[in-house]
Amino acid sequence: MNLTVEINGETHRLTDCNWVLKNPAGCATGSLWASADTASADLAHREFTPLKRHRNQQIRQGYTLELVGRKQWQQRIQPCFQATCSHRTAA
């Protein structure tokens, strides 16, 4: 099975995408390859944060999940893991 998704008008194979967990400032704190097992934001959130009470706490605090293609990941997410993103310089 080859699942596809549309992100910003572009079609991607799901397995070529990443789910990204972002803190309230918008900085990525986690990333995982998307798959049939993580085909929704809720399923991906369960992978990042197994305990429901902790997921609910993150949601209340303003954490978000975003599905991104490889190019978006390299441009916007990778800098968060390299400590070169604008989120860190603003803090």
Side-chain angles (χ1 to χ4, degrees), residues 19 38-48 55 65-67:
W19 282 106
T38 59
S40 71
D42 183 56
L43 292 171
H45 200 183
R46 290 177 191 205
E47 287 293 317
F48 286 118
R55 289 194 304 275
L65 283 104
E66 180 182 7
L67 184 64

Side-chain angles (χ1 to χ4, degrees), residues 31-43:
S31 178
L32 61 86
W33 286 104
S35 69
D37 292 335
T38 59
S40 71
D42 183 56
L43 292 171

Side-chain angles (χ1 to χ4, degrees), residues 46-63:
R46 290 177 191 205
E47 287 293 317
F48 286 118
T49 312
L51 292 177
K52 183 173 175 48
R53 70 176 182 268
H54 292 160
R55 289 194 304 275
N56 290 341
Q57 181 180 32
Q58 286 178 327
I59 292 167
R60 283 192 306 275
Q61 291 172 339
Y63 280 75

